[in-house]
């Protein structure tokens, strides 16, 4: 039996498409029998390094493109049987502290719970998650020790790990989120999850 390569999911909580991917991943994991490896990156850092901009900026004023993206999202939601996201009225939200706290959550052994909670409070019951008090209250309501995570998020090695993840992502070809890797093969965008699944399952 060949060992299947665990696909990697490079994500930032600021991306609604990363949230939709996160909702779709559990069913894919069931089908392929492999867990995805979640890699926290800082989207702002990737944009800066690659001279990229968010879709909110790049789609502004482009006739039909935003409409097509809405159609594509509808298709994705139907195909993967996931709930649509609720637009965050505070968008764009600065995710630096949330992403650092994701690294801290890895250290603390509460990573999966933290990722679920942070995505939930960004895109299911949206809040101003770059307000430290709002974020702490939201995460605490999800049963996490928010104060501890945010304190650890300020540690130099935690900050350095997020920078390293982000720099490595760019070095491997990433320019946005969600990005997926299967070995050295890169896939960008939630629609590519089908390709990721096919590649891992050897179809």
């Amino acid at each position: 039996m060949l060992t299947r390569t665990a696909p990697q999911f490079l994500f930032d909580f600021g991306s609604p498409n990363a949230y939709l991917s996160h909702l779709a991943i559990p069913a894919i994991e069931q089908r392929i029998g492999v867990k995805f490896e979640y890699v926290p990156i800082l989207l702002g850092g990737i944009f800066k390094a690659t001279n990229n901009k968010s879709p909110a900026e790049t789609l502004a004023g482009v006739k039909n493109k935003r409409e097509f993206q809405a159609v594509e999202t509808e298709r994705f939601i139907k195909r993967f049987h996931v709930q649509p996201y609720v637009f965050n009225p505070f968008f764009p939200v600065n995710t630096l502290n949330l992403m650092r706290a994701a690294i801290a959550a890895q250290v603390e052994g509460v990573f999966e719970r933290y990722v679920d909670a942070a995505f939930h409070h960004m895109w299911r019951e949206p809040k101003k998650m770059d307000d430290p008090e709002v974020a702490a209250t939201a995460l605490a309501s999800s049963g996490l020790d928010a104060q501890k995570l945010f304190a650890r998020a300020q540690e130099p090695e935690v900050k350095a790990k997020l920078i390293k993840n982000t720099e490595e992502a760019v070095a491997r070809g990433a320019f946005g989120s969600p990005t997926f890797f299967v070995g050295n093969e890169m896939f960008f965008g939630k629609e590519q999850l089908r390709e990721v699944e096919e590649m891992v399952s050897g179809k």
Side-chain angles (χ1 to χ4, degrees):
M1 163 85 185
L2 286 168
T3 309
R4 290 180 174 169
T5 308
Q8 290 179 310
F9 171 37
L10 279 57
F11 73 97
D12 182 307
F13 297 119
S15 163
N17 288 323
Y19 169 68
L20 292 176
S21 302
H22 171 64
L23 295 183
I25 282 171
I28 297 172
E29 290 176 333
Q30 291 261 290
R31 290 196 292 269
I32 61 178
V34 183
K35 294 283 276 181
F36 277 65
E37 180 198 343
Y38 277 56
V39 181
I41 49 97
L42 188 65
L43 195 49
I46 285 187
F47 282 168
K48 209 168 173 180
T50 59
N51 201 26
N52 195 3
K53 292 180 174 65
S54 76
E57 284 183 79
T58 57
L59 296 186
V62 180
K63 189 173 170 57
N64 298 332
K65 196 169 179 184
R66 192 185 292 272
E67 289 78 0
F68 173 70
Q69 286 220 318
V71 170
E72 208 168 43
T73 297
E74 267 313 301
R75 286 182 193 145
F76 182 90
I77 285 164
K78 284 201 180 91
R79 177 181 301 131
F80 289 99
H81 309 292
V82 295
Q83 288 185 308
Y85 63 86
V86 178
F87 186 75
N88 192 315
F90 305 102
F91 187 84
V93 174
N94 182 332
T95 56
L96 178 60
N97 281 330
L98 284 181
M99 297 317 301
R100 283 175 175 167
I103 304 281
Q106 284 179 322
V107 179
E108 289 290 326
V110 293
F111 184 60
E112 285 187 18
R113 274 174 54 212
Y114 176 81
V115 169
D116 275 342
F119 269 132
H120 178 86
H121 295 296
M122 276 290 294
W123 300 110
R124 175 98 314 256
E125 293 179 33
K127 298 170 184 69
K128 187 168 169 48
M129 293 296 281
D130 50 6
D131 179 318
E133 282 182 26
V134 171
T137 304
L139 294 168
S141 77
S142 295
L144 290 154
D145 187 339
Q147 301 300 344
K148 188 181 196 179
L149 290 172
F150 283 133
R152 285 214 83 151
Q154 297 308 311
E155 292 177 4
E157 55 272 30
V158 167
K159 291 180 177 180
K161 176 76 171 121
L162 183 62
I163 291 169
K164 183 168 182 273
N165 283 359
T166 304
E167 287 175 347
E168 281 177 359
V170 171
R172 293 171 77 191
F175 53 85
S177 170
T179 296
F180 307 93
F181 282 97
V182 181
N184 292 320
E185 292 282 332
M186 186 180 102
F187 301 87
F188 173 73
K190 65 185 183 302
E191 293 77 22
Q192 296 272 302
L193 268 172
R194 273 200 303 187
E195 313 283 331
V196 171
E197 180 172 347
E198 283 177 12
M199 184 164 235
V200 176
S201 52
K203 285 180 182 162

